[in-house]
Amino acid sequence: MSWIPNRTEALALLEQYNRQDNLRKHALAVEAVMRHFAALFPGADADEWGLVGLLHDLDYEQFPEQHCTKTAEILRGVDLEPRLVRAIVSHGYGICSDVKPETDLEKVLYTIDELTGLVTATALMRPSRSVLDLELKSLKKKFKTPSFAAGVNRDVVRQGAEWLGWELDRVLEETIRGMQTAAAALGLAGDEQSS
Ligand SMILES: [Fe+2]
Ligand SMILES: [Fe+2]
């Protein structure tokens, strides 16, 4: 019998493997954006989309050289539903996995994973240090400036948008909105809240 954890169980797994605050926040950001996007795809199960977001980088702290491979091992070890293991591994397509994103869930995960880092970096540059008042045009500007948050692979985002058949602007806009839903947890709700 395969296992689909509830959010509390998934969070416990995340906290067991990821002790670094920035990795936990990244997982929470991807979770929030995945849940937000699920609402835009009829029939999508927001709990599953969120779960995949939460667990996708489980191995990154301990096994950065074996990223994706180790996550798959860990998750198979706890009998996670194979469909979800596949989805998680596909986020590293072309980088650390040869599993190509095929489902809507997989394509969205691939598209928004790196992008959440750009949204975070952009929000933290603002006087408000908040994602709540971040506008599309500010994010677009940073997206087009390769030297800003240079580690964020823009080509992955463009490729994902193309697979989804979405305009890049719509991907950027909905990713901002998704992160706004978890602003406080991400430390991006403004100076007072993000101490
Ligand atoms: Fe990753
Ligand atoms: Fe990630």
Side-chain angles (χ1 to χ4, degrees), residues 23 26-27 30 53 56-58 60 67 91 109 112-114 116:
L23 278 175
H26 172 66
V30 175
H56 79 285
D57 276 342
L58 214 55
Y60 200 72
H67 185 41
H91 90 266
L109 178 65
I112 61 89
D113 176 24
E114 295 263 329
T116 60

